[in-house]
Amino acid sequence: MREQTLGELLAAIGARTPAPASGSAAALTAALAAALAELAARFAGDDEAIERAHALGRRLVELAEEDAAVYGAFMAGQTEQTRAAIIRVPEQIAAAAAEVAELAGRVHEQLRSSVAGDAEAASALARAAEGVARRLAEFNVDFCQNV
């Protein structure tokens, strides 16, 4: 995904293929939120938050790629390992997204400028991504029990 243009990525997500799909989209949404949190942290002068937001963004991009890979592996062969992976990765996406939302909230409290809106947007996007990823993990648990 890192090598694709935005248009190519959107086409890949919209294609009639099993992956990338909602897990990758949630992870990338949270990565965008992390970038906004990083921006806000720069205006707040919070070096620790800058570094953490940047690291979370990188990790979320990795998780987007991992989600597509593990779902592809699951579709190719449904084993205990692949079943566990399609639950574990969305849970990791949700946890990272939750951390982004919390970080954005802390940075927001430090701001008194128009950039506070970016921190709020980061938090809202991250919470949405967290909810999607948590629901996806639940869906995958149910799906694996019925396969």
Side-chain angles (χ1 to χ4, degrees):
M1 289 183 210
R2 294 173 207 257
E3 304 302 318
Q4 293 178 305
T5 66
L6 180 57
E8 291 168 341
L9 178 60
L10 293 173
I13 290 172
R16 188 175 177 162
T17 59
S22 57
S24 296
L28 294 172
T29 299
L32 289 169
L36 286 171
E38 182 179 348
L39 166 72
R42 288 186 190 286
F43 277 88
D46 187 334
D47 291 338
E48 184 179 320
I50 293 166
E51 288 179 30
R52 188 63 191 142
H54 188 75
L56 284 164
R58 280 193 324 266
R59 178 65 181 133
L60 283 155
V61 171
E62 291 169 359
L63 285 167
E65 293 172 337
E66 188 176 345
D67 185 76
V70 300
Y71 199 77
F74 173 78
M75 295 304 290
Q78 297 169 12
T79 66
E80 287 304 314
Q81 182 180 3
T82 61
R83 284 183 179 97
I86 68 165
I87 296 165
R88 174 185 47 80
V89 175
E91 288 174 342
Q92 290 175 337
I93 293 167
E99 188 175 347
V100 170
E102 291 170 16
L103 179 67
R106 286 195 308 271
V107 169
H108 180 267
E109 293 172 4
Q110 301 172 41
L111 295 167
R112 299 206 190 296
S113 68
S114 62
V115 182
D118 293 302
E120 286 182 25
S123 184
L125 287 169
R127 289 286 177 216
E130 176 190 6
V132 168
R134 287 204 191 288
R135 180 63 188 116
L136 180 59
E138 292 169 0
F139 178 80
N140 287 347
V141 167
D142 294 341
F143 180 70
C144 288
Q145 290 174 349
N146 296 316
V147 178

